[in-house]
Amino acid sequence: MLKNLMFLFSLLAINVSFGTDKFPLVPTGDPQPEVINFQDAGLQLALQDQIHANKNWTRLIQQKRMSISLVDLSDENNIKYANINGDHMMYAASMPKIAVLYAAIDAIEEGDLRLTKTVQNDMWLMINKSNNAASTRMIDRVGFQRIEDLMCNPENPFYDKDGNGGLWVGKRYAAQGKRNPEPIRGLSHAATTDAVAKFYYQLATGQLISEKRSAQMLKYLVNPGLHHKFVNTLDVIAPEATLYRKSGSWKNWHCDSILVIDEARGKKYILVAMVESPRGEQIIRNLVKPAELAMDQNATLAPDSIDDEVIITTGT
């Protein structure tokens, strides 16, 4: 009974919080839809140094079983972007549920879906708790065609049918139902870290549909209910930070995506990672500190330690 009451109170809090909209978190003067336009040589080299300091990570990178995208938003007038295998599409498990959220908010914007309490709660369960039943209900409401049309929209694509693919949802999160696999590799749930980083960047700058709708989507991503991968580390090193996040795991495929707003330490960034490895969850957990040190660009690396973790000390 107590657990049921706590769940109801949490839903009530969500319902109340959606009553107001906020301005974009990163009000850049001239935002660009393609985050890759901000590719920065210094950040790229620093990220490569951090990642390649670990021999196990280097091997995964070379085998195309690991990819990373990083966007440094700390200076709104000097956004920086870097990636490793960022355009390599991999199986993404639950992370593409952000595409279902986008399709649902687009349907609401166009008047094709009513924002009822049931729909609102299903979207929250889908993103915050990664609930598969709620995700399946949302996919059934919006349909595969709408999701595909949005992902492949030539005006703002998140999936390139003639290139390296990208973000895709082609199967209900249930055992039953038809499939609409992406056309390049036939994956049901796919992503590139570049496409997901672009998604978060457009949300953070109010460019996805509109400022109002971007802010609305961010409210479903905030305060993640699952504390593993990136969040496990950030709970320790940045307990006061505001986190917007969606992750996914299935068998050896692990991925995470996060927008970090850490006013206390003066850090704002987007980090996306995908790993195919039995130890993928731990690897992703250990990527946060190297990514932050890459943004600082003043790190000194120490030799590899056990458990896929690099001991790093700053120049100070």
Side-chain angles (χ1 to χ4, degrees):
M1 173 65 88
L2 179 59
K3 180 182 278 188
N4 289 338
L5 285 173
M6 291 176 67
F7 178 71
L8 289 173
F9 280 131
S10 70
L11 292 183
L12 179 60
I14 291 293
N15 290 338
V16 171
S17 70
F18 289 156
T20 58
D21 292 312
K22 295 181 179 179
F23 289 105
L25 294 167
V26 185
T28 58
D30 184 25
Q32 303 290 324
E34 295 293 341
V35 71
I36 197 169
N37 291 338
F38 299 106
Q39 195 139 29
D40 180 83
L43 182 60
Q44 182 69 39
L45 292 171
L47 180 62
Q48 290 174 182
D49 285 346
Q50 292 290 329
I51 299 305
H52 289 306
N54 186 299
K55 290 179 290 188
N56 292 327
W57 296 356
T58 299
R59 183 169 59 252
L60 289 170
I61 291 291
Q62 292 171 342
Q63 295 171 349
K64 295 294 184 74
R65 294 168 55 204
M66 181 173 176
S67 59
I68 307 161
S69 291
L70 174 64
V71 188
D72 186 357
L73 303 167
S74 302
D75 182 352
E76 297 164 1
N77 297 311
N78 187 26
I79 294 171
K80 298 177 181 179
Y81 169 78
N83 77 81
I84 300 175
N85 286 341
D87 62 353
H88 177 64
M89 186 170 58
M90 299 173 66
Y91 179 75
S94 289
M95 192 163 67
K97 290 174 183 177
I98 57 175
V100 184
L101 176 66
Y102 177 20
I105 298 300
D106 176 75
I108 292 165
E109 172 75 6
E110 297 298 321
D112 298 326
L113 179 66
R114 291 181 58 235
L115 184 59
T116 63
K117 287 186 177 180
T118 299
V119 168
Q120 184 171 282
N121 291 339
D122 273 351
M123 287 194 290
W124 179 76
L125 287 168
M126 174 177 70
I127 299 300
N128 192 276
K129 302 297 184 182
S130 203
N131 182 281
N132 284 339
S135 303
T136 294
R137 290 192 293 270
M138 290 308 306
I139 290 170
D140 290 344
R141 288 183 180 108
V142 300
F144 287 128
Q145 192 60 55
R146 187 178 211 114
I147 299 171
E148 178 180 342
D149 289 346
L150 281 173
M151 293 303 99
C152 301
N153 179 0
E155 295 182 2
N156 188 30
F158 291 93
Y159 184 95
D160 182 2
K161 289 184 176 180
D162 298 319
N164 297 310
L167 191 57
W168 188 276
V169 176
K171 183 181 181 298
R172 303 161 85 232
Y173 286 88
Q176 303 295 324
K178 69 174 185 177
R179 294 176 69 246
N180 182 38
E182 55 82 25
I184 296 175
R185 295 178 55 195
L187 298 173
S188 297
H189 304 125
T192 62
T193 57
D194 279 358
V196 177
K198 171 183 173 177
F199 184 93
Y200 276 83
Y201 170 72
Q202 289 192 9
L203 283 182
T205 53
Q207 299 183 78
L208 202 57
I209 302 178
S210 67
E211 287 188 3
K212 175 183 176 181
R213 295 305 187 187
S214 293
Q216 188 176 10
M217 281 183 268
L218 283 169
K219 289 175 183 176
Y220 289 98
L221 290 158
V222 75
N223 298 327
L226 304 176
H227 289 249
H228 54 8
K229 300 174 188 162
F230 290 154
V231 178
N232 180 276
T233 299
L234 288 162
D235 281 344
V236 177
I237 68 173
E240 302 302 317
T242 303
L243 308 179
Y244 303 82
R245 184 270 193 122
K246 186 71 196 79
S247 68
S249 287
W250 186 71
K251 295 186 177 180
N252 287 344
W253 287 270
H254 302 270
C255 51
D256 208 350
S257 57
I258 201 161
L259 165 63
V260 179
I261 309 295
D262 187 357
E263 301 290 353
R265 298 188 301 149
K267 292 184 182 294
K268 296 181 182 180
Y269 63 90
I270 296 162
L271 181 60
V272 187
M274 302 179 70
V275 178
E276 180 191 349
S277 167
R279 304 194 69 252
E281 194 278 339
Q282 184 67 45
I283 292 169
I284 290 176
R285 183 183 302 186
N286 291 337
L287 284 174
V288 175
K289 292 180 182 178
E292 290 197 356
L293 284 161
M295 291 186 288
D296 294 339
Q297 296 186 6
N298 65 347
T300 302
L301 300 175
D304 286 355
S305 67
I306 61 173
D307 294 330
D308 288 316
E309 188 164 9
V310 181
I311 300 172
I312 306 173
T313 59
T314 62
T316 58

